[in-house]
């Protein structure tokens, strides 16, 4: 569980990411830079054993995401934040992160489509609800980052009985 503690440190930042993307359909660069700075500090204080693999995975996702951005399939902020988030995910739990992220994408779609059907939600003035046909992936990225440690803990915990 200790390798997931840095991920817990950025949970408040992930909440801001979700809010920013829901309200403005933008993830400001400064949020990705803060995540990178936190990871840099963590890597200096307690470098993870799998540091180079994490960097390689995050870099690969960034390059593939840039291609998807060029094809207008992903937003630039989504690509940068997901790449930064992957630096915090320990390599042994990356397959689990994939499942959590997939479930978070589905949940995010259901949440956004549900909010778009509620007239009172439009009064919030959030671009993702009232004016956009796009999807605020920052919500799903944030959910995955926040829920991943809990999922890893539940998987690692022996079942009672």
């Amino acid at each position: 569980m200790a390798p997931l503690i840095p991920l817990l440190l950025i949970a408040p930042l992930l909440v801001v990411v979700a809010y920013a993307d829901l309200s403005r359909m933008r993830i400001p660069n400064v949020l990705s830079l803060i995540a990178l700075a936190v990871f840099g500090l963590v890597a200096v204080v307690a470098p993870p054993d799998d540091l180079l693999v994490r960097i390689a995975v995050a870099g690969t996702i960034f390059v593939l995401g840039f291609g998807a951005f060029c094809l207008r399939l992903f937003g630039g902020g989504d690509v940068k934040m997901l790449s930064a988030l992957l630096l915090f995910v320990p390599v042994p739990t990356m397959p689990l992160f994939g499942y959590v992220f997939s479930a978070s994408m589905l949940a995010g779609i259901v949440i956004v489509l549900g909010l778009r059907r509620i007239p009172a939600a439009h009064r919030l003035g959030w671009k993702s609800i009232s004016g956009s046909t796009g999807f605020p992936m920052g919500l799903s990225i944030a959910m995955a980052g926040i829920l991943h440690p809990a999922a890893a803990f539940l998987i690692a915990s022996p079942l009672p009985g």
Side-chain angles (χ1 to χ4, degrees), residues 27-98:
I27 299 173
N29 288 335
V30 69
L31 300 178
S32 299
L33 291 173
I34 290 170
L36 286 174
V38 170
F39 184 76
L41 290 173
V42 167
V44 167
V45 173
D49 296 334
D50 55 5
L51 178 64
L52 292 178
V53 177
R54 290 185 195 197
I55 292 170
V57 168
T60 300
I61 293 302
F62 184 79
V63 168
L64 293 173
F66 180 73
F69 168 75
C70 290
L71 295 172
R72 298 181 163 260
L73 299 172
F74 283 84
D78 300 326
V79 171
K80 290 177 271 192
M81 195 64 225
L82 182 58
S83 299
L85 176 60
L86 282 168
L87 292 170
F88 290 87
V89 178
V91 172
T93 67
M94 282 189 180
L96 175 63
F97 180 81

Side-chain angles (χ1 to χ4, degrees), residues 16-26 124-130 136:
V16 175
V17 166
Y19 175 77
D21 211 16
L22 279 167
S23 61
R24 296 185 300 270
M25 290 292 292
R26 287 192 134 347
L124 292 169
W126 290 357
K127 195 172 181 181
S128 66
I129 295 171
S130 57

